[in-house]
Amino acid sequence: MYNIVDALDEVAEETGKSVAQVSLNWLLQRPTVANLVIGARNEEQLKQNLAAIGWNLTTDQVKKLDAASEVDPIYPYWHQRQNIKLNPLPNFY
């Protein structure tokens, strides 16, 4: 988990955005994510969360976050991933 936090800190520094904004933006760029449900304690936090839209992370930044958050797939996906020819990985980039 610390790898993910470190990667988020690096990307947040590169973009000048907060870690929360980078996280939300990264999620919105995932091809399998249609929308996000966000919560806020107050109006300021809601404004900060909404500032996660209207811009995109670069391909390199997305790859950095993907690499940091990658986990070994569970069955049956680990077995399917062994045969990349028959089960190619999705093209996110």
Side-chain angles (χ1 to χ4, degrees):
M1 185 165 118
Y2 294 113
N3 293 341
I4 298 169
V5 174
D6 290 343
L8 282 168
D9 281 337
E10 289 175 23
V11 174
E13 191 173 312
E14 290 172 10
T15 59
K17 305 289 184 181
S18 71
V19 169
Q21 290 168 337
V22 170
S23 300
L24 293 171
N25 190 281
W26 176 76
L27 285 171
L28 287 169
Q29 291 188 52
R30 307 302 299 165
T32 56
V33 174
N35 61 38
L36 299 175
V37 177
I38 58 172
R41 288 184 304 261
N42 54 45
E43 183 180 352
E44 181 58 33
Q45 189 178 37
L46 177 62
K47 288 178 183 179
Q48 287 290 320
N49 288 344
L50 292 175
I53 61 172
W55 57 278
N56 284 324
L57 298 167
T58 66
T59 302
D60 289 337
Q61 291 167 336
V62 171
K63 286 181 181 182
K64 181 186 292 187
L65 295 172
D66 287 347
S69 61
E70 187 173 348
V71 295
D72 292 330
I74 60 172
Y75 180 84
Y77 307 107
W78 67 268
H79 186 264
Q80 293 172 347
R81 190 176 272 189
Q82 291 176 354
N83 192 339
I84 298 296
K85 197 180 230 182
L86 294 176
N87 298 294
L89 296 173
N91 185 9
F92 293 136
Y93 317 110

